């Protein structure tokens, strides 16, 4: 394609937001997600911990991130990677102590890095004291009203109370055993049986979580990431789900997802957050309807929500543009910053995903043995990093993506731990492949994840081929993924146009995603099979891959400085 001058554009119609106010740091923040079990092991037992994380603050500061979102670090039997919580006000012994967590928050703040805590309001662990009290108290008790206990259907109560299925597979109900040894009531768990759901129609539950928020805000946490934010309120009648196989057009509302009552929960939480300085609420909201999604972002509810639609889209210019348009269209009028996410602890890593024939993501489609071209996937993941970082809003980086780690797909079956794998009958490979301990060095038994004299092996095995993509191997290499991420984050902060909200699409042809931010910055992503000439009124700031004869090659992206018209 021939060279052109950037000028033809399509304006996205939405309310202007402007630059982030000094206290609203989350509007343009780069947030790094830490899965603590797999980040860094400080005490040598093979499990990542707070000591290891504290030891890597220098690395994170050099990377340039503004905040850390830490996955659950609470006491837990670890039936679901810590999302089965025993005590929301303490730290799992594997990770350290509450005093160490407080020290981490203080040290990170001193380094200019804020800490975001993960809170799980939909469910707890079966070992939680409330649930144990409910089991002991028996039917009809106040303790059981904090959960969803119901008699079964059928003559002997041996049929679950309704037809709901667990998100992890199988029934969403488990039957209890009464004190005399006879079968008792059933309890609801939208995830694993070890994760009983709270009943948010009960005032005790509201008060408990409001106390949890204050507990962590009082200790300096800058924000709360809310797990499964749309699920916690259920229809009290617990009706059956409609049979969509019989009537695919049935529009009966889902009785446990996105009910209107959930918004009262987050309005109360927002009042608590607003009573502190610069605190943020971030929702994990998986909803296909952008109008319903936007309701969580109203001015008196959550500050931001994860943009999973963008993450799940295939490597296709039309698909990605549609997602960007929808995000900006619905976030803008609410004065809520967009979030741009390429992966997380639940999702196949971009290097692997973008190298497959089907480059989209859905939990239902995850299967063993799907081939991937990792060289192609890495090239696209580099370009995607430039795209996501150039869009208006905040950017989330999952640990290891800055190293270009692929999904680990050769974990021995005996080592797999994710309940999604086991409850699917082995069909779903689960999420362990994106949770492998980070390779920090190239020459130690655990690739630097644990101290050299560690007593334990990493809790999940690391691929031997990761020696060449460790942080140590990539440090100082101008062509590495780590250097690219450092450069992208630094340049993002240096460009005034990227701190504002201006955004215009530029028409550079089919298959090219190009947009202008302000008058002096543009991003171009070539998703065609041809080389694309640079616009004549531009100079290069950053590229995801080397230019060839002054052109952007296929599956590459470039940041441009624009000359005045």
């Amino acid at each position: 394609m021939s060279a052109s001058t950037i000028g033809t554009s399509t304006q996205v119609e939405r309310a202007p937001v402007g630059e982030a106010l000094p206290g609203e740091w989350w509007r343009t923040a780069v947030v790094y997600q830490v899965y603590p079990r797999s980040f860094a092991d400080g005490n040598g037992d093979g499990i990542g911990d707070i000591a290891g994380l504290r030891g890597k603050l220098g690395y994170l500061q050099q990377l340039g991130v503004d905040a850390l979102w830490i996955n659950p670090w609470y006491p837990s039997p670890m039936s679901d990677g810590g999302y089965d919580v025993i005590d929301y006000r303490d730290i799992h012994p594997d990770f350290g102590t509450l005093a160490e967590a407080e020290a981490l928050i203080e040290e990170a703040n001193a380094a200019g890095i804020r800490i975001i805590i993960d809170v799980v309001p939909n469910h707890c662990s079966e070992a939680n004291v409330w649930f144990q009290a409910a089991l002991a108290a028996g039917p009809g008790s106040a303790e059981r009203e904090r959960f969803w206990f119901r008699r079964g259907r059928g003559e002997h109560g041996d049929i679950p109370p309704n037809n709901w299925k667990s998100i992890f597979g199988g029934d969403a109900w488990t039957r209890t055993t009464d004190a005399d040894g006879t079968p008792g009531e059933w309890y609801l768990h939208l995830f694993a049986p070890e994760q009983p759901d709270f009943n948010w129609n009960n005032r005790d539950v509201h008060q408990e979580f409001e106390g949890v928020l204050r507990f962590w805000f009082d200790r300096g946490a800058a924000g709360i990431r809310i797990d499964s934010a749309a699920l916690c309120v259920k229809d009290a009648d617990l009706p059956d789900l409609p049979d969509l196989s019989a009537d695919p057009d049935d529009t009966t509302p889902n009785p446990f997802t996105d009910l209107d009552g959930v918004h009262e929960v987050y309005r109360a939480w927002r009042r608590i957050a607003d009573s502190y300085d610069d605190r943020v609420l971030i929702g994990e909201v998986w909803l296909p309807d952008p109008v319903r999604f936007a309701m969580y972002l109203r001015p008196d509810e959550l500050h931001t929500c994860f943009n999973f639609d963008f993450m799940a889209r295939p490597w296709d210019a039309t698909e990605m543009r549609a997602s960007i348009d929808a995000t900006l269209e619905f976030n803008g009028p609410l004065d809520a910053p967009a979030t741009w996410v390429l992966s997380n602890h639940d999702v196949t890593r971009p290097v692997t995903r973008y190298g497959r024939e089907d480059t989209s993501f859905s939990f239902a489609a995850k299967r063993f043995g799907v081939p991937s071209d990792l060289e192609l996937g890495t090239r696209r993941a580099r370009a995607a990093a430039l795209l996501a970082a150039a869009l208006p809003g905040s950017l989330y980086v999952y640990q290891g993506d800055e190293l270009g780690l692929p999904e680990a797909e050769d974990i021995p079956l005996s080592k797999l731990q994710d309940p999604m794998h086991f409850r699917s009958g082995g069909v779903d490979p689960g999420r362990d492949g994106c949770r492998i301990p980070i390779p920090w060095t190239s020459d130690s038994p655990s690739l630097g994840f644990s101290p050299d004299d560690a007593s334990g092996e990493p809790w999940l095995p690391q691929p031997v081929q990761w020696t060449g993509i460790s942080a140590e191997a990539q440090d100082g290499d101008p062509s590495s993924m780590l250097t690219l991420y450092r450069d992208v984050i630094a340049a993002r902060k240096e460009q005034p146009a990227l701190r504002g909200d201006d955004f215009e699409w530029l028409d550079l042809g089919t298959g090219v995603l190009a947009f202008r931010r302000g008058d002096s910055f543009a991003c171009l992503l070539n998703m065609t099979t041809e080389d694309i000439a640079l616009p004549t009124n531009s100079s290069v700031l950053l590229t995801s891959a080397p230019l060839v004869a002054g052109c952007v090659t296929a599956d590459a992206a470039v940041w441009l400085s624009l000359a005045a018209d």
Side-chain angles (χ1 to χ4, degrees):
M1 295 187 180
S2 61
S4 61
T5 298
I6 287 185
T8 306
S9 62
T10 303
Q11 179 69 47
V12 175
E13 296 294 335
R14 56 200 180 90
V17 176
E19 293 191 10
L21 298 174
E24 296 182 320
W25 56 271
W26 56 84
R27 288 190 175 277
T28 57
V30 177
V31 182
Y32 186 92
Q33 181 189 351
V34 173
Y35 192 75
R37 195 171 180 83
S38 296
F39 187 67
D41 169 22
N43 65 6
D45 64 357
I47 297 171
D49 49 35
I50 295 172
L53 176 52
R54 291 170 71 185
K56 298 298 183 184
L57 285 177
Y59 168 88
L60 295 165
Q61 192 174 31
Q62 185 180 10
L63 186 59
V65 301
D66 301 297
L68 306 181
W69 154 35
I70 302 175
N71 286 104
W73 53 4
Y74 314 109
S76 166
M78 291 290 169
S79 296
D80 180 26
Y83 281 89
D84 47 323
V85 179
I86 292 177
D87 184 351
Y88 294 83
R89 295 175 175 85
D90 203 355
I91 300 296
H92 195 298
D94 285 350
F95 299 146
T97 65
L98 181 57
E100 287 182 281
E102 292 169 341
L104 168 67
I105 294 171
E106 182 177 353
E107 292 166 7
N109 285 341
I113 301 174
R114 295 173 170 87
I115 299 295
I116 297 167
I117 304 301
D118 206 321
V119 169
V120 188
N122 180 71
H123 51 264
C124 64
S125 166
E126 62 179 348
N128 183 285
V129 337
W130 272 13
F131 190 70
Q132 289 299 307
L135 291 176
S141 63
E143 289 83 356
R144 289 203 172 187
E145 286 302 312
R146 295 167 173 163
F147 301 92
W148 293 100
F149 282 87
R150 292 293 185 272
R151 291 173 56 86
R153 295 183 292 186
E155 181 181 357
H156 303 292
D158 54 355
I159 302 173
N162 63 27
N163 68 351
W164 297 2
K165 297 298 180 183
S166 164
I167 292 167
F168 285 168
D171 288 330
W173 294 90
T174 291
R175 197 170 192 184
T176 64
T177 301
D178 287 339
D180 62 2
T182 60
E185 293 184 319
W186 298 72
Y187 69 88
L188 174 68
H189 50 87
L190 290 182
F191 293 88
E194 295 86 357
Q195 296 168 286
D197 281 29
F198 286 114
N199 176 5
W200 277 85
N201 295 328
N202 184 279
R203 187 59 199 160
D204 290 351
V205 177
H206 287 257
Q207 292 174 344
E208 168 65 9
F209 277 93
E210 289 168 11
V212 168
L213 262 61
R214 292 189 178 94
F215 179 88
W216 288 107
F217 285 155
D218 287 345
R219 279 155 182 77
I224 301 293
R225 180 265 190 186
I226 306 163
D227 179 69
S228 302
L231 299 183
C232 59
V233 173
K234 279 83 172 174
D235 185 331
D237 293 333
L238 302 176
D240 279 346
L241 286 167
D243 183 0
L244 295 180
S245 63
D247 182 5
D249 298 322
D250 192 312
T251 58
T252 303
N254 187 300
F256 59 78
T257 302
D258 188 37
L259 271 65
D260 289 340
V262 77
H263 297 287
E264 291 304 319
V265 175
Y266 300 131
R267 288 189 182 99
W269 288 22
R270 180 60 178 265
R271 289 191 292 270
I272 293 171
D274 287 348
S275 70
Y276 293 80
D277 291 334
D278 304 334
R279 302 305 203 268
V280 63
L281 300 177
I282 305 160
E284 183 201 25
V285 180
W286 292 83
L287 291 177
D289 183 345
V291 176
R292 295 293 300 184
F293 178 87
M295 292 175 68
Y296 291 80
L297 296 170
R298 289 177 290 196
D300 61 344
E301 294 192 40
L302 307 181
H303 297 85
T304 67
C305 288
F306 287 114
N307 182 6
F308 294 118
D309 179 78
F310 177 75
M311 177 185 70
R313 294 280 180 141
W315 189 256
D316 177 88
T318 300
E319 289 274 356
M320 284 195 168
R321 176 164 176 163
S323 181
I324 293 166
D325 279 341
T327 300
L328 298 181
E329 176 186 354
F330 285 98
N331 281 52
L334 295 165
D335 192 21
T339 62
W340 306 103
V341 186
L342 294 176
S343 74
N344 61 35
H345 63 293
D346 291 329
V347 174
T348 306
R349 285 193 181 271
V351 164
T352 298
R353 193 168 76 243
Y354 288 145
R356 289 177 170 166
E357 183 176 354
D358 179 1
T359 54
S360 64
F361 175 81
S362 71
F363 286 107
K366 289 183 69 179
R367 294 293 183 269
F368 281 109
V370 178
S372 177
D373 181 341
L374 295 184
E375 182 177 350
L376 175 63
T378 298
R379 182 178 180 85
R380 289 173 170 175
R382 290 173 64 92
L386 266 68
L387 171 67
L391 293 167
S394 56
L395 174 69
Y396 282 76
V397 179
Y398 177 49
Q399 66 177 44
D401 281 356
E402 81 278 12
L403 300 178
L405 299 184
E407 190 84 354
E409 299 187 290
D410 56 354
I411 305 171
L413 291 177
S414 62
K415 298 289 188 180
L416 289 175
Q417 300 193 28
D418 186 12
M420 287 191 78
H421 166 71
F422 298 105
R423 289 182 63 82
S424 72
V427 174
D428 189 324
R431 299 162 294 178
D432 291 328
C434 64
R435 299 176 177 183
I436 301 297
I438 296 294
W440 293 104
T441 65
S442 303
D443 58 358
S444 69
S446 67
L447 304 182
F449 171 68
S450 299
D452 288 344
D453 59 352
S455 60
E457 296 181 351
W459 72 282
L460 283 174
Q462 299 160 301
V464 294
Q465 60 269 31
W466 279 14
T467 57
I469 54 175
S470 69
E472 178 185 61
Q474 296 192 42
D475 188 30
D477 178 356
S479 66
S480 72
M481 185 77 85
L482 177 58
T483 297
L484 178 71
Y485 263 85
R486 286 172 175 168
D487 290 347
V488 165
I489 293 172
R492 190 177 192 268
K493 294 181 178 181
E494 292 167 358
Q495 291 295 319
L498 298 184
R499 294 195 291 271
D501 201 57
D502 292 337
F503 182 89
E504 293 179 88
W505 285 114
L506 303 167
D507 185 7
L508 297 184
T510 302
V512 180
L513 281 182
F515 53 88
R516 181 203 297 265
R517 299 287 308 279
D519 296 327
S520 61
F521 177 92
C523 177
L524 185 161
L525 171 57
N526 181 8
M527 304 182 84
T528 75
T529 58
E530 303 177 44
D531 293 350
I532 303 293
L534 291 177
T536 57
N537 64 330
S538 67
S539 58
V540 174
L541 294 171
L542 271 176
T543 63
S544 66
L547 300 179
V548 174
C551 293
V552 184
T553 53
D555 297 316
V558 60
W559 283 8
L560 301 171
S561 176
L562 304 180
D565 293 336

